[in-house]
Amino acid sequence: MKKPKGKAPKKPSAQATPSTSTHTETYSSIHQTLNAFTEKTHILLKELTDRHGIKPQSIERRTKTIESFREKINRPGKNYTDPLNQLTDLSGHRIIVHYLDDIDKVSKIIEQEFNIDKAASSDKRANLAPHELGYLSRHFIISLKHPRTTLPEWNSYANFKAEVQLRTVLQHAWAAIEHSLQYKSEVDIPSNSRRRLFRLSGLLELADEEFNLLQNEQQHTKTEIRKALRKGSSGVEINTVTISAYLEQSKTPEELLQSALSVGFTLPDEEHPLPNKAFNDHYVSGVASISQDKTENIGSLDAILRKNKESIEFFLKALFAARPGSVWLVTKPFVLMLSCYFVFREELSVEMLIQNGWSKNVAEIVVSTAKNQPL
């Protein structure tokens, strides 16, 4: 028997159940407050890591959108009766650090500063069997701890939870690539690709461990150099690590900084902040670069700077005068770099400074002043 011609009747579109609508409306009503909680927690995490001397590669955050919330509680096979409490990632943070040791350091901070829902938290590193490959990360489900919940700026968020993920840069790279390949578990991986992924996973884990060892080795080297400088040892080779230690231990860089301040240079402050804290690392690199070929060791560098201290002060005074009306911010590493530019001025050129990030105008002033000022 033939079916009657004409369009088939449309199937009724799937609609949210009343309970889903109610949950979504409730989530919508608190979304703005939850987002404020996410932002404040993000700032707090940055302050806590900074206070403990940890410099994450990045700290990300997000508040689950209303649409994403609706989609998640409507997924097939899910039967949320109280999604606002059952979903622990409505507010989410991801702290990406450079070294494995930093994972443990940040974990300790989080455990000290927040209440931890241990049943909902996980350490993927411990859960992964030796023969398995995959995602390595620590996940904490946190809530505010007393007495922070009693503070006026925090008490509105006393009942909120947030997820905090901790991972290294390489763990993050693995997670991102694994996600792009759409592998949710090992059973999703074709057999001909599994061995390759095992090898890559092992290489990344090994690289993480080696970078961690390198960082520990560098810290040990810095400690030994500081000890040597405190004892008056002058035979320490010049590199960025030893220059950093020299800046901390020697009186000469501090005296040069005071000379710069006395002629008009300014230290960064709230009104005139340093644009980027990484600049100091750049200045240390500049000192090492220009002085390595001109001096044998830290002792020789210090002797040259002390011998020419008065001339350096005249140079700094002339340099400041060459930019009338300008606020010229300086730090100890920056003044040390300027001083080295002056005493090793034979190597100095406008092109070199421009390559190192200086503007042409300022580079010309520095080079001209350095070359025209007598030692």
Side-chain angles (χ1 to χ4, degrees):
M1 182 176 178
K2 292 184 178 180
K3 292 182 180 179
K5 293 182 179 180
K7 293 182 179 179
K10 290 183 178 179
K11 292 182 180 180
S13 58
Q15 294 183 353
T17 63
S19 60
T20 298
S21 298
T22 301
H23 292 317
T24 304
E25 287 172 8
T26 304
Y27 183 63
S28 180
S29 70
I30 67 165
H31 190 264
Q32 186 174 355
T33 306
L34 181 63
N35 192 58
F37 168 65
T38 300
E39 293 302 314
K40 282 185 69 66
T41 305
H42 173 71
I43 293 169
L44 178 59
L45 289 170
K46 290 177 71 175
E47 290 174 348
L48 290 171
T49 51
D50 187 59
R51 189 186 306 164
H52 288 80
I54 299 169
K55 298 178 181 178
Q57 194 269 338
S58 64
I59 301 180
E60 304 171 354
R61 83 281 196 190
R62 68 101 182 93
T63 304
K64 191 177 287 294
T65 64
I66 296 168
E67 184 56 39
S68 180
F69 174 85
R70 182 188 294 111
E71 183 274 328
K72 188 162 186 175
I73 65 175
N74 271 327
R75 286 178 186 173
K78 299 293 183 181
N79 186 24
Y80 294 106
T81 56
D82 185 12
L84 290 176
N85 286 312
Q86 289 173 291
L87 297 179
T88 55
D89 65 342
L90 300 179
S91 173
H93 304 265
R94 181 179 294 137
I95 304 175
I96 302 172
V97 297
H98 295 98
Y99 306 108
L100 289 170
D101 283 351
D102 289 339
I103 296 283
D104 296 325
K105 291 175 184 176
V106 177
S107 295
K108 188 175 181 180
I109 294 169
I110 290 173
E111 288 166 348
Q112 288 174 342
E113 296 289 338
F114 298 94
N115 290 322
I116 309 297
D117 183 344
K118 293 184 178 180
S121 302
S122 64
D123 187 347
K124 304 295 183 182
R125 303 171 302 175
N127 296 340
L128 204 63
H131 66 280
E132 293 178 325
L133 61 85
Y135 172 70
L136 296 174
S137 181
R138 286 209 73 175
H139 289 200
F140 289 98
I141 305 303
I142 65 168
S143 58
L144 297 175
K145 206 173 193 177
H146 183 84
R148 187 170 278 122
T149 51
T150 64
L151 300 175
E153 64 269 31
W154 285 102
N155 59 20
S156 300
Y157 316 118
N159 296 321
F160 285 144
K161 290 184 177 182
E163 180 185 58
V164 180
Q165 298 178 2
L166 299 181
R167 58 176 74 158
T168 66
V169 173
L170 292 182
Q171 288 169 355
H172 184 59
W174 171 267
I177 294 170
E178 189 178 44
H179 178 74
S180 73
L181 293 172
Q182 299 182 336
Y183 294 149
K184 301 295 183 184
S185 67
E186 279 193 54
V187 296
D188 297 326
I189 306 172
S191 57
N192 61 339
S193 300
R194 196 169 299 159
R195 177 170 171 75
R196 181 170 292 167
L197 279 169
F198 267 115
R199 290 162 60 197
L200 287 171
S201 176
L203 283 172
L204 285 176
E205 284 190 47
L206 180 62
D208 243 345
E209 291 173 2
E210 288 298 315
F211 281 130
N212 199 65
L213 288 172
L214 279 171
Q215 195 257 356
N216 290 338
E217 189 177 276
Q218 187 183 72
Q219 292 302 318
H220 176 73
T221 301
K222 284 182 179 179
T223 300
E224 293 302 309
I225 290 168
R226 291 189 189 103
K227 289 179 181 177
L229 290 174
R230 279 198 297 269
K231 291 177 180 178
S233 176
S234 60
V236 178
E237 68 176 0
I238 291 177
N239 53 51
T240 55
V241 176
T242 58
I243 292 296
S244 295
Y246 173 66
L247 281 159
E248 293 176 13
Q249 298 296 325
S250 175
K251 294 179 181 179
T252 305
E254 178 61 30
E255 291 172 358
L256 293 173
L257 174 62
Q258 294 306 317
S259 294
L261 297 177
S262 71
V263 300
F265 289 89
T266 305
L267 285 172
D269 55 23
E270 290 185 4
E271 185 179 355
H272 303 104
L274 194 67
N276 190 332
K277 291 181 180 179
F279 284 175
N280 279 332
D281 294 334
H282 180 68
Y283 303 148
V284 168
S285 179
V287 173
S289 177
I290 198 168
S291 59
Q292 269 179 337
D293 296 333
K294 293 294 182 180
T295 56
E296 295 179 358
N297 48 51
I298 290 290
S300 299
L301 174 62
D302 189 68
I304 292 169
L305 292 171
R306 296 201 71 81
K307 178 183 176 182
N308 295 286
K309 187 171 176 291
E310 187 175 339
S311 297
I312 292 171
E313 185 169 338
F314 280 118
F315 159 68
L316 293 171
K317 186 175 183 179
L319 184 59
F320 184 79
R323 297 184 70 205
S326 299
V327 175
W328 199 325
L329 300 179
V330 293
T331 60
K332 196 188 296 185
F334 181 66
V335 173
L336 181 61
M337 183 178 68
L338 286 177
S339 302
C340 288
Y341 282 168
F342 174 62
V343 296
F344 303 127
R345 55 194 174 172
E346 298 86 359
E347 302 295 320
L348 196 62
S349 69
V350 173
E351 292 73 20
M352 184 186 85
L353 294 188
I354 291 174
Q355 287 177 0
N356 287 332
W358 294 69
S359 69
K360 183 180 179 182
N361 179 49
V362 177
E364 288 174 345
I365 292 172
V366 171
V367 173
S368 174
T369 306
K371 291 187 180 290
N372 291 327
Q373 189 71 28
L375 270 174

